[in-house]
Amino acid sequence: MARTELEPRSCPRDGFWARLKGTGHSGQTVRSQRGLLAPDSMGEGPKRQRGPRGPPSLGGGHGVGKPAGTGGQGPRRQEGRSKEGAIRMVRRSQRRKLQKFTRLCGREEGLRVKRSCPSCGSELGVEEKRGKGNPISIQLFPPELVEHIISFLPVRDLVALGQTCRYFHEVCDGEGVWRRICRRLSPRLRDQGSGVRPWKRAAILNYTKGLYFQAFGGRRRCLSKSVAPLLAHGYRRFLPTKDHVFILDYVGTLFFLKNALVSTLGQMQWKRACRYVVLCRGAKDFASDPRCDTVYRKYLYVLATREQQEVVGTTSSRACDCVEVYLQSSGQRVFKMTFHHSMAFKQIVLVGQETQRALLLLTEEGKIYSLVVNETQLDQPRSYTVQLALRKVSHYLPHLRVACMTSNQSSTLYVTDQGGVYFEVHTPGVYRDLFGTLQAFDPLDQQMPLALSMPAKILLCALGYNHLGLVDEFGRIFMQGNNRYGQLGTGDKMDRGEPTQVRYLQRPITLWCGLNHSLVLSQSSEFSKELLGCGCGAGGRLPGWPKGSASFVKLQVKVPLCACALCATRECLYILSSHDIEQHAPYRDLPASRVVGTPEPSLGARAPQDPGGTAQACEEYLSQIHSCHTLQDRMEKMKEIVGWMPLMAAQKDFFWEALDMLQSAEGGGGGVGPPAPET
């Protein structure tokens, strides 16, 4: 029996292809095959079998009782053939352009891509002739075009794309891509900053910048984000006051967020329509009243650099450091102090009461100068000369170079470049809380520094009202002071008169000490951070722990991924978010000889006579010194070992000074230790 087949042809009614071929007679079985138009081939599509029908019409088409070429089916077939021809011409031209482009790009060395199928040989197969060849490699595109396309990706997706293969890692890590992203994130940014990778650093700083807060009281217990100034180049520091927030970026611009907080039905929330203005430029540091209660922060002291004329009436000028005082309520400047051009400062802190406010200024050389002002008279328009005085910590210990300092209302903490810690306590009550006794307190000489004995170099410090926290180079946390509410995190409420290690917590990102509680920001995993707290939980200071805790516990706060600093007031908690790619992990691994305890002795061995492992540590130190080839290297290694040894700060300073003298006597000059004492 003869059989008639329907092959795919164009059908104007439903977009399918149908064609009748073969021979047959009336009453024969008809099998219909229909297929969709393939996107890149003119071949036959998938076929669908149908059951037997009645006898076909004489014309063999879809019309009923109408022969082919007459009636409705003939013009429709002609129209389908014309559409088919047009589609074939368009696809043929596209295929030629694509082949021409691949031939041009394939001439470059190292970028040639084989177009033949490995299983079919070097000749083009039927599928390639129809346009179903191998996909084109992304490496064939010009690098400028690839960078332009990738620059439209979000920063998170760009970083993920750079981890897929070596080619995308090189492309995504290029400065051209990050320059375009930085221009997109901060269109008004004029300078990309400094560093090895300036555009990548600037783009990541502006992508990760953010200031978050969570109110302690009220019904709203979630973290909110503040209004970010578009002109800010990352966030370096911030300071909340009673009604406003001040933010310092990485290029020295100080921003004033006016009316940042509003109170609605007992809730603290960001005012979405808050305005921000540029308070000043060229700022290095700023400070206000060190107490946790923002009500006392009436004035803002800004350390900045300004151009001053050398001689009146001339155009020549030079840069001079100055301290400008602003009202926190309005941002109006009420006072200005200009220093000699030979003195360059980098940090400012405040200590004392309003009538006897002491400004402590840290120079680039590590010296501490102070001056006293009366805040109650700052709003009176007058001009007078204030003399700087060298602080006793720099006067009696001239070989010390102070790296950073922190203060509260009645005490100051200094950290040297070698990791030593020195204390100034001005009131007997705070002295008793910190050291547990008044035996060495001298009310007539309150500026005399007290050395704290630490086992290693100190990197971070935090000072509360009557307790403090220290973090050494191995990431160990030490707490000292009053422990009435459990703010030391030692698991009990016993005061500590000397630094005590919190053994279950290590390698914090930052540490903050408040009135009667402490906060620690730590890295919980590779992609998340958590906030830990201890002490008094009244008023919601420890979210999730209203009764407080004598140990550091995880707080119910969703910490941003790039959180780097924190601060708490009576009303709310603030978290600063920013990531600097040039800041590496400051901590080192603890040597085996410094780990608490000694390895278990073997069977039959006697009990060790050196439970602390001191002899083993000294032998290791001697072997390290012996491995150095030159005298200069041995002197430097000895200085490093002195910093590791559990000595008092005064003893470490003595050894460092003696080593410097020996090094200079041997003609080694230019050591990295503390400088020789000044006469």
Side-chain angles (χ1 to χ4, degrees):
M1 181 181 296
R3 183 177 60 184
T4 304
E5 295 183 356
L6 285 171
E7 290 190 357
R9 297 292 287 180
S10 175
C11 180
R13 276 181 280 181
D14 52 3
F16 288 88
W17 299 80
R19 186 176 58 186
L20 182 65
K21 71 176 183 179
T23 59
H25 305 279
S26 60
Q28 295 176 344
T29 304
V30 179
R31 298 184 179 180
S32 176
Q33 299 177 352
R34 295 176 181 262
L36 288 173
L37 177 62
D40 55 352
S41 174
M42 299 304 298
E44 297 179 357
K47 300 180 180 180
R48 181 173 56 184
Q49 301 292 337
R50 293 193 177 183
R53 290 185 178 179
S57 59
L58 297 177
H62 292 283
V64 180
K66 295 182 180 181
T70 62
Q73 188 65 22
R76 291 178 180 177
R77 287 189 177 182
Q78 295 295 335
E79 182 181 356
R81 291 193 183 95
S82 61
K83 288 183 179 181
E84 177 184 352
I87 293 175
R88 287 181 179 178
M89 292 178 61
V90 171
R91 289 183 177 175
R92 190 182 299 111
S93 61
Q94 291 179 354
R95 195 178 302 114
R96 290 177 180 176
K97 291 181 181 179
L98 185 60
Q99 292 176 357
K100 182 179 179 181
F101 176 75
T102 55
R103 283 196 299 270
L104 292 176
C105 296
R107 295 175 184 176
E108 300 181 6
E109 185 178 357
L111 296 180
R112 187 178 300 277
V113 178
K114 295 182 179 180
R115 303 294 298 171
S116 60
C117 180
S119 61
C120 301
S122 59
E123 297 183 358
L124 295 177
V126 179
E127 295 296 332
E128 287 188 0
K129 292 181 180 179
R130 294 181 178 179
K132 291 186 177 180
N134 296 331
I136 301 175
S137 175
I138 191 65
Q139 299 180 359
L140 298 177
F141 291 93
E144 296 81 5
L145 179 60
V146 178
E147 291 181 358
H148 180 73
I149 296 174
I150 292 178
S151 63
F152 290 95
L153 293 175
V155 177
R156 184 186 297 270
D157 298 340
L158 179 65
V159 175
L161 180 63
Q163 298 176 355
T164 55
C165 64
R166 183 179 301 176
Y167 174 76
F168 280 120
H169 175 72
E170 296 176 356
V171 174
C172 297
D173 200 47
E175 283 292 286
V177 176
W178 291 106
R179 182 177 65 252
R180 292 185 175 93
I181 294 177
C182 188
R183 295 298 188 188
R184 187 187 68 198
L185 295 176
S186 301
R188 302 181 182 180
L189 183 63
R190 300 178 181 178
D191 189 11
Q192 72 274 17
S194 60
V196 181
R197 306 292 306 278
W199 286 112
K200 183 176 181 180
R201 178 173 180 261
I204 294 180
L205 281 175
N206 288 277
Y207 176 75
T208 59
K209 66 181 180 182
L211 181 61
Y212 302 83
F213 93 102
Q214 179 170 336
F216 291 146
R219 295 168 295 178
R220 188 173 181 178
R221 299 296 180 87
C222 60
L223 206 64
S224 304
K225 188 175 181 180
S226 69
V227 179
L230 298 178
L231 298 177
H233 182 51
Y235 290 165
R236 190 175 67 177
R237 275 200 60 198
F238 77 101
L239 179 67
T241 59
K242 183 180 179 181
D243 301 318
H244 315 297
V245 177
F246 297 88
I247 298 178
L248 179 65
D249 67 354
Y250 279 84
V251 294
T253 305
L254 185 61
F255 293 90
F256 177 30
L257 273 67
K258 290 187 174 182
N259 301 323
L261 291 176
V262 294
S263 179
T264 305
L265 299 178
Q267 301 183 26
M268 301 298 296
Q269 60 182 2
W270 289 113
K271 187 177 181 181
R272 292 299 177 182
C274 76
R275 299 181 295 111
Y276 67 90
V277 295
V278 177
L279 188 67
C280 66
R281 300 183 185 274
K284 295 182 176 180
D285 195 16
F286 63 99
S288 185
D289 193 291
R291 284 173 284 191
C292 297
D293 196 348
T294 58
V295 177
Y296 300 102
R297 297 175 183 177
K298 182 179 179 182
Y299 294 99
L300 184 73
Y301 296 78
V302 181
L303 176 64
T305 301
R306 297 287 181 265
E307 294 289 337
Q308 299 290 336
Q309 293 183 357
E310 296 183 3
V311 181
V312 180
T314 61
T315 57
S316 60
S317 61
R318 62 177 59 183
C320 299
D321 287 351
C322 64
V323 174
E324 299 176 345
V325 185
Y326 295 87
L327 279 172
Q328 73 88 23
S329 58
S330 61
Q332 179 184 1
R333 192 180 73 180
V334 296
F335 194 75
K336 181 180 180 180
M337 294 172 284
T338 305
F339 307 105
H340 194 263
H341 62 84
S342 61
M343 305 188 70
F345 303 99
K346 64 178 182 179
Q347 188 181 2
I348 179 175
V349 297
L350 306 182
V351 65
Q353 301 291 337
E354 290 84 350
T355 56
Q356 293 289 326
R357 183 76 72 191
L359 278 67
L360 304 184
L361 300 169
L362 175 61
T363 64
E364 299 288 349
E365 294 79 15
K367 304 297 181 181
I368 304 294
Y369 289 88
S370 65
L371 58 92
V372 180
V373 297
N374 188 357
E375 286 189 355
T376 60
Q377 300 178 358
L378 288 178
D379 54 352
Q380 300 178 6
R382 61 172 180 166
S383 177
Y384 57 92
T385 303
V386 179
Q387 185 177 3
L388 287 174
L390 192 64
R391 205 71 173 178
K392 286 189 176 182
V393 66
S394 298
H395 180 71
Y396 291 104
L397 302 173
H399 61 282
L400 292 181
R401 293 173 58 91
V402 179
C404 63
M405 57 183 177
T406 182
S407 67
N408 60 13
Q409 186 180 2
S410 57
S411 57
T412 309
L413 187 66
Y414 305 103
V415 179
T416 64
D417 59 346
Q418 298 294 336
V421 181
Y422 292 86
F423 226 140
E424 284 185 12
V425 184
H426 305 155
T427 58
V430 176
Y431 190 94
R432 185 188 298 109
D433 290 336
L434 289 173
F435 298 97
T437 180
L438 289 176
Q439 183 177 358
F441 180 74
D442 188 1
L444 301 179
D445 192 6
Q446 301 176 357
Q447 295 185 10
M448 181 59 65
L450 304 173
L452 294 181
S453 178
M454 299 300 299
K457 180 180 178 180
I458 298 300
L459 300 181
L460 300 177
C461 63
L463 185 59
Y465 175 70
N466 52 12
H467 72 287
L468 61 96
L470 304 170
V471 182
D472 66 357
E473 58 182 340
F474 302 112
R476 298 176 296 183
I477 300 178
F478 297 87
M479 306 294 291
Q480 177 181 347
N482 187 284
N483 198 22
R484 179 181 179 183
Y485 299 94
Q487 60 262 41
L488 300 184
T490 55
D492 52 32
K493 295 186 178 181
M494 298 175 57
D495 297 344
R496 300 294 195 277
E498 58 184 10
T500 304
Q501 182 181 356
V502 183
R503 300 189 181 276
Y504 60 89
L505 195 60
Q506 292 182 353
R507 295 178 177 266
I509 299 175
T510 185
L511 175 66
W512 184 86
C513 295
L515 181 63
N516 48 25
H517 70 290
S518 304
L519 300 175
V520 169
L521 182 64
S522 65
Q523 189 85 25
S524 61
S525 64
E526 186 178 359
F527 301 104
S528 62
K529 297 179 181 179
E530 61 183 7
L531 184 62
L532 307 176
C534 64
C536 180
R541 299 175 184 176
L542 301 179
W545 301 84
K547 296 183 180 181
S549 175
S551 303
F552 282 98
V553 292
K554 184 177 179 180
L555 305 182
Q556 295 181 1
V557 177
K558 187 178 180 181
V559 183
L561 182 61
C562 298
C564 62
L566 59 91
C567 174
T569 62
R570 179 180 295 181
E571 295 84 9
C572 51
L573 168 71
Y574 299 87
I575 298 179
L576 184 70
S577 173
S578 182
H579 179 69
D580 190 358
I581 60 175
E582 295 185 357
Q583 291 182 357
H584 304 287
Y587 302 120
R588 302 191 301 116
D589 294 332
L590 189 67
S593 59
R594 301 290 300 277
V595 179
V596 178
T598 56
E600 297 181 1
S602 59
L603 295 177
R606 292 181 297 176
Q609 299 180 357
D610 186 17
T614 306
Q616 183 180 358
C618 292
E619 291 178 1
E620 182 179 356
Y621 294 154
L622 288 176
S623 63
Q624 293 180 6
I625 296 175
H626 183 72
S627 62
C628 299
H629 301 287
T630 62
L631 179 62
Q632 180 75 13
D633 296 337
R634 292 183 179 182
M635 299 290 286
E636 298 296 335
K637 177 59 69 173
M638 187 61 191
K639 292 180 183 179
E640 184 179 1
I641 291 174
V642 169
W644 291 348
M645 300 179 69
L647 302 175
M648 297 181 63
Q651 295 173 341
K652 292 183 180 180
D653 295 335
F654 166 76
F655 282 113
W656 283 326
E657 188 67 21
L659 291 172
D660 283 338
M661 293 174 62
L662 295 175
Q663 190 174 6
S664 59
E666 291 294 334
V672 297
E678 301 177 359
T679 58

